[in-house]
Amino acid sequence: VLGLMSGDTLRGYAVYRLGPELLPRLGLLVDWLVLPGDTEASAALLEGVLACARADGALALAGAFPEWSPWSLDFQERGFRHHPSAHVELVRGSVGRFDMLWLRDAWWSTLADALFL
């Protein structure tokens, strides 16, 4: 778990781990929380995650971001490739106002939420 503080304020955090159960020597960015537009915090945290991946001998780093997330485009601009997942997310809502369309357009899950981790 990596965090970036400015004084008493947490500007963001990232969670990394090796994910050999998916692919050998694959690094996983399993959680990411940075305010959109904080390029300084995002750059510093990504460098920290990449340093962890290099230390683990990872050959690649993977993360999961919804297409509508500002981080999806940001990571692509930093050289990450975007592609659809073969995994299917199943959600059962128990609050009527959070229907399937709302979940599709607003729900955010990360690799930290996945059952295989």
Side-chain angles (χ1 to χ4, degrees), residues 33-55:
L33 181 62
V34 181
L35 285 175
D38 192 343
T39 55
E40 181 183 285
S42 65
L45 285 169
L46 182 56
E47 280 305 312
V49 168
L50 291 170
C52 291
R54 283 189 294 273

Side-chain angles (χ1 to χ4, degrees), residues 20-94:
E21 67 279 2
L22 296 178
L23 287 172
R25 299 176 73 183
L26 176 65
L28 297 176
L29 178 57
V30 297
D31 206 359
W32 179 262
L33 181 62
V34 181
L35 285 175
D38 192 343
T39 55
E40 181 183 285
S42 65
L45 285 169
L46 182 56
E47 280 305 312
V49 168
L50 291 170
C52 291
R54 283 189 294 273
D56 280 345
L59 298 177
L61 178 65
F65 298 94
E67 289 182 26
W68 51 261
S69 159
W71 295 112
S72 178
L73 182 57
D74 185 79
F75 273 76
Q76 290 176 70
E77 289 171 347
R78 294 174 191 256
F80 285 74
R81 292 182 292 179
H82 177 84
H83 60 87
S85 172
H87 299 282
V88 176
E89 183 170 20
L90 300 174
V91 178
R92 181 177 178 192
S94 58

Side-chain angles (χ1 to χ4, degrees), residues 90-102:
L90 300 174
V91 178
R92 181 177 178 192
S94 58
V95 178
R97 69 179 181 265
F98 300 134
D99 62 11
M100 293 309 293
L101 292 176
W102 184 90

